Amino acid sequence: MSTTPLLQVRNLKKHFPIHRGILFKKQVGAVKAVDGLDFDVMPGETLGLVGESGCGKSTTGRLILRLIEATAGQVTFDGQDLLQLPADRMREMRKQMQIVFQNPYASLDPRMTIGDSIAEPLRVHGVGDEAAVQKRVKELLERVGLSPTYSGRYPHEFSGGQRQRIGIARALAIKPRFIVADEPVSALDVSVQAQVLNLLDDLQDEFGLTYLFIAHNLATVQHISDRVAVMYLGKMVELGTSDQLYANPKHPYTQALLSAVPEPDPTLKRERVILQGDIPSPVNPPSGCRFHTRCPVAVDRCRVEDPAFVDTGSGHMVACHHHPAVALPMVGLPGSVA
Amino acid sequence: MVLRRFLKHRLAVASTVMLVVLVLGSVIGPWFLPAYDAQDLSNTNQLVPTLAHPLGTDELGQDVLARLLYAGRISLFVGLSAAVLGVLIGTLIGAITGYFGKWIDTLGMRMTDMFLCIPLLMLLLVLSNFTRGKTLVPFIAPELQQLALIAVIIGASSWMGVARLVRGEFLSLREQEFIEASLSVGGKSAWIITRHLIPNAMAPIFVAATLQVGEAIILESGLSFLGMGIQPPVPSWGNMLSNAQQYMIATPWLAVYPGIMIFLTVVSINFIGDGLRDALDPKLKS
């Protein structure tokens, strides 16, 4: 693994405006879906991005690929700031970065044969003649474990898992270096999830891919990620290697999330951190630390001062006033159930 | 596959046969009849149907069967080309407004609303009155120009429904993930519109197009009935109806023939549209 990041995200923000009025529209507020993100993705690694629904993780993936225009910030890919690129240069860059979508039922055009769908990136960029395109489609279908003879069929003839393989084949068609996997297995049966995850894993080794793997399931993310980032309400609260994060979660939110992962062994007793209340509205995020309204260890300082996202040692980043100053043990936290 | 599903739709198949008969009858039928000349007024009696004139003759002594078939050529041509034109304009405007949104959408839709506010028949009457008998394009037979003109007038004033329909389809399709997928691989607007949006909006466009053909035929008939469409001696189903109304008591069948022709054509076309919609939708498996 090299030391120069493939992707650098700095102060990335997306505020969706809220308009009122029909004739004279005025902005009355904004949904702060993503509110200041900083992280790097190293070449060849898988960065997992987790958080509950509405925390802005999918928006982050789309902002990086410029499927949504960012409000502020920089996304540097291979030395170029993507957010500043003119449309034609951006189109060229898309050859290097692709996305696998969450919903395999909506992400394939129902009127297009899957062969045409997979060939779309090649045709859009005018790569190769028709014979070469057909050959590549057959190759890709085979690689993702589907018969090349399926290329003339339509998406409705396939199961969810098969469609997700087709979506992966399409993302691979143009030989990208970086893939945003936006909850690629959340919509699939548990029995199929592992197959697709293993496929993604194998493809990474084979083609030297870099993944940004978005998910809400910590077990899934642990399985595939080298490093994991946890988001809460548009901000990152913790980022570390899988080992660091799973063995020694530092942010109370991460601790709560990890304690909610189902344990297959019923005889094993363990601590549960139960969070009170719902995720606050991203229109009006809480002052200070955004997590203080639900945090079991919140103090006065958390209500007024937004904690910085700092390195607590060997790249384990945390945004919490209790770190690195105080390392609270998980046991005995107020609100935890013994 | 599509064909097989279409063939299962019995009414649509029957309608296709009916329409083929009507079209073939109109296009090649006149060749098998005794020579017909619109200027020939030697027979001056209105005749009841006889062997020589199976459907009788009209007030000028012209063979009604021959006129009916010639009129079919005219009415079908005008109806079809007007509908094609209207659907093309409507799809174009609907596609642009629905895809790009924002001020383009507002502009396009207000324009559509404006056109919808104009009483269609009045506009058609005024337009055809203005352009009647004028030579707009040299070297083309005036009769043909008259037909093309009426087709253009009807087409250019009946695209609004299709535009709204296509816009609505595009608005909902645009938010689908596969459009985002196409954007993410670098698809340009034109690519996305032609490869993804239009094929997905095809079923409702087809249905609208077939309905439009029927409507255009009826509009042309109405226009001709009012004396502002196809001018005698060139026959059309509309002006034949118009002529027949003077003799409703003496020879009511004169009105029935063109009426039946219009009815059969429009009904067949609508059923075919139905069948096509079902056959073209791959999600509807039977």
Side-chain angles (χ1 to χ4, degrees):
Chain A
M1 206 181 283
S2 122
T3 46
T4 20
L6 180 66
L7 181 80
Q8 275 181 304
V9 175
R10 291 291 173 268
N11 193 32
L12 187 64
K13 286 187 184 178
K14 178 64 193 184
H15 295 181
F16 292 102
I18 304 169
H19 292 292
R20 279 282 153 70
I22 297 165
L23 212 49
F24 301 100
K25 280 189 182 153
K26 60 174 184 184
Q27 193 177 335
V28 293
V31 176
K32 297 176 179 103
V34 173
D35 205 16
L37 283 187
D38 296 278
F39 63 92
D40 294 343
V41 184
M42 297 296 170
E45 83 164 339
T46 300
L47 177 67
L49 191 59
V50 290
E52 59 198 294
S53 305
C55 74
K57 46 190 199 304
S58 288
T59 307
T60 306
R62 284 168 168 73
L63 285 173
I64 291 170
L65 298 178
R66 269 182 80 179
L67 292 176
I68 307 173
E69 292 296 329
T71 310
Q74 282 129 36
V75 175
T76 314
F77 183 87
D78 204 18
Q80 297 195 68
D81 187 356
L82 295 182
L83 304 187
Q84 304 299 327
L85 286 182
D88 54 329
R89 295 266 309 281
M90 186 62 212
R91 194 167 288 129
E92 278 304 301
M93 287 302 281
R94 292 194 187 282
K95 287 185 189 171
Q96 304 195 31
M97 40 207 320
Q98 287 291 309
I99 179 167
V100 175
F101 290 93
Q102 171 176 12
N103 184 347
Y105 294 88
S107 59
L108 293 170
D109 186 339
R111 298 266 167 188
M112 234 185 205
T113 63
I114 61 152
D116 283 338
S117 276
I118 295 172
E120 186 174 9
L122 303 168
R123 295 201 175 122
V124 161
H125 290 287
V127 180
D129 56 12
E130 197 44 40
V133 168
Q134 289 305 333
K135 187 164 161 278
R136 178 92 180 118
V137 168
K138 299 233 171 347
E139 236 171 70
L140 286 161
L141 276 171
E142 224 155 42
R143 185 61 201 82
V144 298
L146 294 171
S147 164
T149 54
Y150 289 173
S151 70
R153 297 195 183 178
Y154 286 90
H156 71 265
E157 299 173 56
F158 295 93
S159 71
Q162 287 175 316
R163 288 188 211 193
Q164 199 57 293
R165 289 164 187 275
I166 296 161
I168 292 170
R170 172 175 59 190
L172 286 176
I174 203 137
K175 297 183 179 158
R177 295 161 69 193
F178 176 64
I179 289 182
V180 172
D182 184 9
E183 308 209 24
V185 297
S186 318
L188 304 179
D189 288 346
V190 179
S191 58
V192 186
Q193 287 189 357
Q195 294 175 14
V196 172
L197 285 178
N198 289 334
L199 174 64
L200 284 169
D201 220 5
D202 295 345
L203 293 170
Q204 179 167 40
D205 296 341
E206 197 174 326
F207 301 113
L209 297 168
T210 305
Y211 289 144
L212 177 66
F213 192 93
I214 300 168
H216 57 241
N217 181 340
L218 280 159
T220 309
V221 171
Q222 185 181 18
H223 176 78
I224 198 164
S225 304
D226 301 306
R227 290 194 303 150
V228 176
V230 181
M231 275 182 82
Y232 182 77
L233 216 56
K235 285 203 160 192
M236 234 171 230
V237 296
E238 188 162 358
L239 169 69
T241 63
S242 286
D243 295 340
Q244 283 169 344
L245 199 108
Y246 284 87
N248 182 24
K250 294 195 168 178
H251 197 282
Y253 181 60
T254 317
Q255 292 169 358
L257 281 184
L258 281 175
S259 82
V261 174
E263 173 60 57
D265 182 357
T267 60
L268 216 86
K269 290 268 184 260
R270 53 177 191 152
E271 311 292 334
R272 275 283 274 124
V273 180
I274 309 280
L275 291 180
Q276 305 296 317
D278 282 328
I279 190 165
S281 157
V283 179
N284 248 328
S287 61
C289 173
R290 293 176 171 213
F291 188 56
H292 83 254
T293 53
R294 300 167 79 193
C295 182
V297 294
V299 294
D300 286 344
R301 189 183 173 199
C302 301
R303 287 178 247 284
V304 283
E305 194 187 325
D306 196 7
F309 195 48
V310 292
D311 193 343
T312 60
S314 53
H316 192 163
M317 311 275 288
V318 180
C320 179
H321 290 310
H322 294 291
H323 297 284
V326 191
L328 281 175
M330 204 169 143
V331 188
L333 287 179
S336 70
V337 180
Chain B
M1 191 62 198
V2 171
L3 186 71
R4 205 168 63 218
R5 275 199 300 253
F6 183 77
L7 290 178
K8 276 190 187 155
H9 202 294
R10 294 223 180 102
L11 266 177
V13 175
S15 297
T16 312
V17 172
M18 173 60 73
L19 197 67
V20 167
V21 168
L22 283 169
V23 170
L24 284 183
S26 300
V27 174
I28 58 175
W31 291 342
F32 297 99
L33 291 170
Y36 158 78
D37 180 3
Q39 311 288 345
D40 176 19
L41 305 176
S42 55
N43 287 325
T44 48
N45 295 326
Q46 276 188 90
L47 292 176
V48 292
T50 61
L51 265 182
H53 303 285
L55 300 181
T57 59
D58 66 8
E59 77 279 9
L60 298 176
Q62 297 168 321
D63 181 47
V64 173
L65 179 61
R67 274 184 75 77
L68 209 56
L69 295 182
Y70 274 107
R73 287 183 178 182
I74 311 282
S75 291
L76 287 171
F77 169 77
V78 171
L80 205 69
S81 42
V84 167
L85 186 71
V87 168
L88 282 181
I89 299 175
T91 304
L92 187 72
I93 291 180
I96 290 172
T97 54
Y99 181 78
F100 291 102
K102 296 183 184 148
W103 64 269
I104 296 177
D105 184 30
T106 313
L107 185 81
M109 280 302 111
R110 292 303 80 77
M111 199 171 81
T112 307
D113 290 345
M114 219 171 67
F115 268 87
L116 276 171
C117 291
I118 301 170
L120 186 54
L121 203 59
M122 297 300 147
L123 179 77
L124 291 177
L125 286 176
V126 171
L127 276 177
S128 55
N129 198 27
F130 258 115
T131 48
R132 187 141 48 107
K134 298 222 171 74
T135 309
L136 300 171
V137 189
F139 309 122
I140 298 178
E143 283 89 5
L144 208 63
Q145 281 195 34
Q146 189 195 7
L147 297 187
L149 195 70
I150 286 170
V152 168
I153 290 173
I154 293 176
S157 53
S158 58
W159 52 266
M160 292 80 76
V162 177
R164 282 187 160 182
L165 179 97
V166 172
R167 169 181 174 268
E169 284 291 317
F170 270 39
L171 281 180
S172 76
L173 286 170
R174 188 175 72 161
E175 302 301 323
Q176 301 258 350
E177 242 176 22
F178 63 81
I179 299 302
E180 210 174 13
S182 189
L183 276 172
S184 77
V185 303
K188 297 181 185 177
S189 301
W191 170 279
I192 290 173
I193 290 176
T194 54
R195 296 301 177 101
H196 292 291
L197 292 171
I198 290 187
N200 275 284
M202 217 51 217
I205 293 177
F206 246 112
V207 177
T210 46
L211 287 173
Q212 201 84 57
V213 174
E215 234 164 77
I217 287 176
I218 288 178
L219 260 177
E220 179 274 315
S221 305
L223 220 51
S224 302
F225 180 80
L226 293 172
M228 292 294 174
I230 309 294
Q231 298 301 317
V234 179
S236 97
W237 290 335
N239 68 26
M240 286 178 73
L241 263 181
S242 176
N243 284 344
Q245 68 173 341
Q246 302 166 37
Y247 309 99
M248 275 305 279
I249 309 293
T251 55
W253 57 85
L254 284 185
V256 171
Y257 303 136
I260 286 181
M261 295 299 265
I262 294 171
F263 173 78
L264 283 180
T265 311
V266 174
V267 163
S268 307
I269 286 171
N270 286 351
F271 278 134
I272 291 170
D274 248 14
L276 274 178
R277 179 186 51 196
D278 294 349
L280 281 172
D281 196 339
K283 276 170 284 183
L284 282 175
K285 283 177 287 181
S286 51

